[in-house]
Amino acid sequence: MQMPNPPSPPGALSRRALLTGTAAAAGLGLAGCGSVSGGLSGRTRVKQWNLLAGSDGAVMTEMHDQFAAEHPDIELEATTFGWGTPFYTRLVMGASGGNASDIATIHLSRLKSVSPATLLDPITLDELTAHGLDPADFPEKIWEQCFAGDELYAIPIDTHALVNYYNRTVCEQVGVLNPDGTLLETHGVEEYLDLLRAVKEATGQYGTSLDTLGGWRQFWAWYRQADGEMTFGDGEYEMDDDKALQSIEIMYRMAEEGLCPTFADGGQCAANFENGAAGLVQVGNWEINRFKAFDQAQGLDFSMTEMPDFFGNRRTQGDCHSYVLPRHHSWDPEVREATLAYAAWMLRHSFRWGEGGGHTPAYLPVTESAEYQALQPNAEYSGVVQNVQFDPDVWFSGSAARLFDETGAIFNQVYGLAMTPDEALALVKERIQALLDLPNPVD
């Protein structure tokens, strides 16, 4: 099955993810009960856990190699675990026993669900500034998400989001490109559906492809564009039913007209774009490497932009990868220093992260640089940083969480025309309430 909500798809441990030859299965045993300065090598060892097993994981490993070459006094031991639940389960178990890594990469939307006050160690602003970082180096709305209470627990790495790829050859054929080769910006649902109809006529199959199993992404993007809110508290929640139904009706209309597939998992979603069955595809920016590789092998003149403006803006569903420090019984000062030096180095060198992994660096000195703004197609969708919409603030929400999976199964039936929008909305509300009735594991 396709990955639930991550930029990096789930999969078996890749040898790319290992910097020192350590197997992931041995990760807990190697972690130790606290930070320890120096391993067999006599160098300061920093243990890093992540869930990046996809093409972005290969870029991360490349960056790790460069970091190691520039820091011969630090032994970086990086371990990749299975994307989603396997990773978060390992992180929680390791941190609760004091056996986790020194630093871990998580989705920022999952920060509260990993109980930062009990399972993570806070980071001081003095520590950041000592390593050349400053709160002003990050988008304000992202930075605010890094706190639990008054304590800073996360350092944002990037923004990754649902974006809109387009085949220039097909789009030029039907006249929906600007003179500079970028996709025409539409305003409102009808203008965009007209664009898809024109593209569908050219492809003979679909206007756009999308992952019907990942329908939460489209739903949340369109719901938030309409200023829809979803708030939780005391066993209850509030959602705007009219705006929610409006978003689900768009799914149904697109599928009913044949403007998108009635079923496509993650692999089929991308393949429809590669083989010309669809002239556009709505999928995460993390697929950029796949499409670049296809372009090099078989030719695919593509670019990418933000989600279309349906309701007066270009908001989209997304998240951030972030660094956190799992709880330690005790920190060796040299290890903590080396750990933060690693994080700061990765941010300062995140141009490569954006170029190779497709994610938009959260570190503004990189994103706002002339070099990054000249990077194509990345610069065309760099504004997504201001438009990304995190999932609702509740323990069962966020990347690789149950809200995505359980609503996704419902939206898949909408795209498949097996369920009406009204039926789907009723079932979504039923599932949300059922999740809300469960005990909060963080509490």
Side-chain angles (χ1 to χ4, degrees), residues 37 92 104 125-126 201 231 259 287 316 387 401 409:
S37 178
V92 168
L125 293 181
D126 286 345
E201 186 173 345
T231 57
L259 300 177
E287 292 287 9
T316 187
N387 286 320

Side-chain angles (χ1 to χ4, degrees), residues 299-435:
L300 177 64
D301 184 11
F302 78 94
S303 190
M304 51 204 289
T305 185
E306 294 186 64
M307 285 286 280
D309 163 10
F310 276 8
F311 301 111
N313 58 79
R314 304 186 78 173
R315 293 174 188 155
T316 187
Q317 189 271 349
D319 208 334
C320 295
H321 292 120
S322 303
Y323 288 126
V324 295
L325 307 184
R327 175 60 52 87
H328 282 46
H329 294 322
S330 63
W331 272 99
D332 181 300
E334 290 184 12
V335 173
R336 190 171 177 103
E337 173 72 14
T339 297
L340 291 169
Y342 157 77
W345 187 95
M346 292 291 283
L347 293 181
R348 286 195 296 271
H349 292 78
S350 56
F351 176 88
R352 178 59 188 145
W353 185 241
E355 177 188 41
H359 309 310
T360 301
Y363 189 56
L364 293 177
V366 168
T367 311
E368 294 177 348
S369 69
E371 183 183 21
Y372 189 85
Q373 289 302 313
L375 182 64
Q376 293 296 334
N378 304 63
E380 191 177 338
Y381 65 91
S382 62
V384 75
V385 173
Q386 303 303 324
N387 286 320
V388 67
Q389 303 294 301
F390 284 83
D391 289 352
D393 186 9
V394 65
W395 69 265
F396 50 79
S397 180
S399 295
R402 292 186 63 177
L403 181 63
F404 180 95
D405 287 340
E406 298 201 15
T407 59
I410 299 169
F411 298 139
N412 185 49
Q413 294 185 67
V414 174
Y415 281 119
L417 307 178
M419 186 177 291
T420 68
D422 288 292
E423 292 169 336
L425 176 60
L427 190 51
V428 165
K429 295 174 66 175
E430 180 182 312
R431 294 285 174 84
I432 291 176
Q433 188 60 57
L435 288 169

Side-chain angles (χ1 to χ4, degrees), residues 192-214:
Y192 187 69
L193 294 189
D194 282 342
L195 184 150
L196 293 187
R197 292 180 186 111
V199 174
K200 172 182 167 63
E201 186 173 345
T203 65
Q205 197 160 353
Y206 307 121
T208 188
S209 184
L210 45 78
D211 177 2
T212 66
L213 293 167

